[in-house]
Amino acid sequence: MNQKRKLLIQAFIKQHNLEGVSEGLLNQALTHKSFSNEVKGYQGKLGNLELSNQRLEFLGDAILGFVIAKTLYELILDADE
C-alpha cells in the first residue's frame, strides 16, 4: 500500500471511529478487483494472493447464506428442503 493510500485509509478509520480495525484488511475490503487489475503500479498482491475484496465478498456471502438458512429452518418448522 503506498503512502497516499495508507493516509486515506487512516483518515477513513478515524472519521468512522474504527479504531482497532486492521489497515491492511480495510484496504483489502475497499479494493475492487478491477482496481487491482487495471491500475498500473498498484501493489495489489501479497505473494500469490491478490489483495481485492473478492475473497472477503465470498466469505460474507457464505456467512449471510448460513444465517438466512438457519433463520428459515428455525421459523418454518414444517417446510420441506
Side-chain angles (χ1 to χ4, degrees), residues 4 7 11-12 19 22 29-30 44 51 53 78 80-81:
K4 182 178 178 182
L7 291 172
F12 184 90
E19 288 77 18
S22 164
L30 296 174
L51 291 180
N53 60 7
D78 60 345
D80 291 336
E81 65 278 348

Side-chain angles (χ1 to χ4, degrees), residues 4-40:
K4 182 178 178 182
R5 177 81 171 181
K6 186 173 181 73
L7 291 172
L8 288 171
I9 294 292
Q10 289 171 346
F12 184 90
I13 288 172
K14 185 174 181 178
Q15 181 180 8
H16 296 284
N17 298 319
L18 299 173
E19 288 77 18
V21 170
S22 164
E23 290 178 15
L25 191 57
L26 184 58
N27 181 52
Q28 182 179 357
L30 296 174
T31 302
H32 192 269
K33 185 175 179 75
S34 63
F35 176 79
S36 64
N37 285 340
E38 295 176 14
V39 175
K40 192 171 187 168

